[in-house]
Amino acid sequence: MKKNKKLAYDEMLPEYDFSKGVRGKYANLIKRSQNYVILEPDIAKKFKSSQVVNNVLRLFLDVQNQLTKKTKQITS
C-alpha cells in the first residue's frame, strides 16, 4: 500500500496547466468596478450580505453628519 505524498502548501499539482493563461487579464476591470474590504471574522458573522454592510455604513455616515452639524451649531 502506497502512502500519499503530501504536497507542500505552495506546490501545484502536475495536472494544472496555466501555459495559455494571461497574467492580470481582468485586473483593470476589477480595479474599476469593485472596492473590496476584508472583514474580521467576528464582524463578518454579524453581516449576512454586502447590502447589509452598505446599509449600516450609510446609517453610520448619516449619524456622523448629523453630529458634525450639531457640533458646528453649538460652537458657532
Side-chain angles (χ1 to χ4, degrees):
M1 188 188 291
K2 290 184 177 181
K3 291 184 179 180
N4 290 337
K5 180 182 175 185
K6 289 187 178 182
L7 294 175
Y9 182 75
D10 60 346
E11 285 187 51
M12 296 285 295
L13 294 176
E15 58 265 22
Y16 295 151
D17 179 16
F18 292 102
S19 62
K20 296 178 184 173
V22 178
R23 183 176 180 88
K25 183 175 182 178
Y26 299 104
N28 287 331
L29 177 64
I30 291 171
K31 285 180 184 177
R32 285 183 282 153
S33 64
Q34 298 292 325
N35 183 13
Y36 292 97
V37 176
I38 307 298
L39 300 176
E40 296 283 329
D42 60 322
I43 300 296
K45 285 181 187 177
K46 300 290 183 180
F47 299 100
K48 303 297 179 203
S49 70
S50 59
Q51 183 179 0
V52 174
V53 173
N54 287 328
N55 289 341
V56 170
L57 290 173
R58 284 187 185 100
L59 178 62
F60 171 78
L61 291 174
D62 287 344
V63 170
Q64 185 182 37
N65 287 336
Q66 289 174 8
L67 289 173
T68 302
K69 287 178 186 177
K70 287 184 180 182
T71 304
K72 285 181 181 179
Q73 290 173 354
I74 293 170
T75 58
S76 297

